[in-house]
């Protein structure tokens, strides 16, 4: 673990060093004790010496106690020791004794110099303690900020940044909010840690353009607010990184969709266009005499290719409307047999078996969207049903729904693929050249969601895929 990271990890909840005026309170008390106990004891010892030491030596001994008291207790202990030392030395060791009067000029100078030196020492020790405390705090702040600055924006976690803010400053909760962009808009909580509170935040810091950091907890010192502003900027950076990453993922997904669309559409357009061009070119050849049957076959190819192009373009337009949210369902009372009849119009009866009674209950649906849904399901079943066997379209009524089933007898779809087969550009059989662009089931799901209709896949007995529409029965 690096030095910066280790320093950041040392910051525990509420343990960021607070700015203090000098040495800690505990050391001040010890320093005052040294002054109040050591000086009387020294004075008693010097009095017992009965003048064996000169005034200079006495003052040096007092200065030693003063330095010890100041080194431990800082400026208050040093000032107290200096004052007590001057008074004791003047009272007991400067003639005339037992008075505060000073007899000679030399004694005055010695006492004044002693007092000044004692005060200077006390002030120096106190300033050193302040510098040491600020240096410790600055180191922890630098380590904490470096931990966030060193992380790439994509890896910077917004909850981690907010949790660091909450624990560092002993807050109960912290949240990054987006400012309202208009008079009618409201603030939005982007992310939060800790219990939510309806009370106004005790701290509010601007984190970035349109972003603010709000927290509930104790009041902060000026030094704390400066650090909090930087951490708020780190939280905003984390949110911007996540936002940009989400945009990048969305753009990548859009790009993949466009690539799939171009690949699929390119293939599915080329096939009918090739058939159209070949049939038209053949009919326009003046040097070939086509029989009536051959002309009918070429015209049928033109018609079939045109129908395929029409279906492809309709699916593309429908998918575009779904992607932009342009689909609005206008539910009304619908007769199921009429909608299904229109949807299967043009499907040869040789490949379709239909059992949709005309006495089914009326349902609530958008007739246009429902017809497109049934037509796409029928087209899907027709493509995947084996040759020589009919696929079925049936409808039965239950208490609250009419169930329309489109049944094919093909290879079917594995259950694990059911959730993904409704995604755009998913082909149920990539081996077939006629499986379409892969939008049919995606459109089915989109239209059904717009109408509030459930579409449920199931396994056809004996093999194949059954798609069931659950249409709500209209109220009488």
């Amino acid at each position: 673990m690096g030095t910066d990271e280790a320093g950041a990890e040392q910051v525990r909840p509420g343990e960021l060093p607070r700015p203090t005026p000098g040495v800690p309170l505990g050391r001040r008390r010890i320093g005052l004790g040294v002054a109040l106990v050591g000086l009387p004891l020294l004075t008693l010892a010097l009095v017992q010496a009965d003048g064996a030491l000169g005034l200079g030596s006495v003052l040096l001994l007092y200065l030693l106690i003063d330095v010890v008291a100041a080194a431990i207790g800082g400026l208050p202990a040093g000032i107290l020791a200096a004052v007590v030392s001057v008074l004791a030395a003047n009272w007991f060791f400067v003639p005339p004794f037992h008075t505060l009067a000073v007899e000679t000029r030399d004694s005055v100078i010695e006492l004044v110099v002693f007092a000044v030196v004692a005060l200077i020492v006390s002030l120096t020790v106190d300033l050193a303690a302040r510098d040491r405390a600020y240096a410790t705090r600055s180191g922890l702040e630098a380590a904490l900020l470096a931990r966030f600055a060193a992380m790439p924006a994509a890896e910077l976690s917004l909850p981690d940044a907010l949790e660091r803010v909450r624990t560092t400053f002993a807050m109960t909760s912290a949240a990054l909010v987006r400012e309202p962009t208009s008079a009618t808009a409201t603030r939005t909580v982007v992310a939060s840690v800790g219990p939510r509170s309806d009370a106004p935040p005790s701290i509010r810091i601007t984190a970035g353009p349109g972003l603010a950091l709000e927290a509930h907890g104790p009041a902060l010192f000026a030094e704390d607010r400066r650090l909090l502003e930087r951490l708020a900027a780190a939280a905003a950076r984390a949110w911007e990184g996540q936002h940009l990453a989400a945009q990048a993922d969305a753009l990548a997904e859009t790009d993949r969709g466009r690539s799939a669309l171009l690949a699929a559409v390119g293939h599915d357009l080329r096939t009918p266009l090739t058939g159209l061009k070949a049939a038209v070119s053949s009919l326009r050849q003046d040097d070939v005499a086509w029989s009536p049957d051959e002309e009918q076959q070429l015209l049928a190819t033109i018609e079939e290719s045109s129908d395929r192009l029409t279906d492809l373009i309709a699916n593309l337009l429908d998918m575009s409307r779904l992607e932009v949210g342009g689909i609005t369902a206008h539910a009304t009372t619908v007769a199921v047999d009429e909608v299904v009849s229109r949807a299967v119009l043009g499907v040869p009866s040789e490949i379709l078996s239909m059992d949709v009674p005309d006495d089914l209950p009326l349902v609530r649906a958008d007739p246009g969207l429902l017809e497109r849904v049934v037509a796409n399901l029928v087209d899907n079943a027709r493509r995947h049903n084996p040759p020589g066997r009919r696929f079925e379209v049936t409808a039965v009524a239950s208490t609250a729904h009419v169930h329309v089933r489109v049944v094919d007898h093909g290879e079917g779809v594995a259950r694990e693929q059911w959730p993904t087969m409704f995604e755009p550009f998913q082909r149920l059989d990539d081996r077939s050249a006629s499986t379409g662009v892969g939008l049919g089931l995606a459109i089915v799901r989109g239209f059904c969601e717009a109408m509030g209709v459930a579409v449920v896949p199931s396994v056809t007995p004996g093999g194949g895929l059954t798609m069931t529409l659950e249409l709500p029965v209209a109220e009488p």
Side-chain angles (χ1 to χ4, degrees), residues 391-458:
F391 66 93
E392 296 99 38
V393 178
T394 65
V396 295
S398 64
T399 304
H401 295 87
V402 171
H403 304 272
V404 177
R405 295 184 176 91
V406 180
V407 184
D408 72 63
H409 302 279
E411 296 182 359
V413 180
R415 290 180 181 271
E416 58 270 17
Q417 294 180 343
W418 287 358
T420 59
M421 70 180 179
F422 290 99
E423 298 296 329
F425 316 115
Q426 297 294 318
R427 299 171 184 256
L428 299 183
D429 183 5
D430 286 336
R431 294 171 298 175
S432 173
S434 61
T435 53
V437 73
L439 294 177
L441 292 182
I443 294 171
V444 166
R445 183 181 66 175
F447 283 5
C448 285
E449 289 177 350
M451 294 187 293
V453 172
V455 54
V456 181
S458 60

Side-chain angles (χ1 to χ4, degrees), residues 309-334:
L309 282 175
T310 300
D311 292 340
L312 173 61
I313 294 173
N315 280 342
L316 289 173
L317 292 175
D318 289 340
M319 197 66 222
S320 299
R321 291 166 60 197
L322 285 172
E323 288 182 346
V324 300
I327 296 295
T328 302
H330 300 284
T332 184
T333 302
V334 178

Side-chain angles (χ1 to χ4, degrees), residues 279-292 294-295 298:
V280 172
S281 298
S282 298
L283 289 174
R284 294 187 62 186
Q285 290 181 352
D286 297 332
D287 56 342
V288 178
W290 301 103
S291 66
E294 290 173 334
E295 288 184 356
L298 291 173

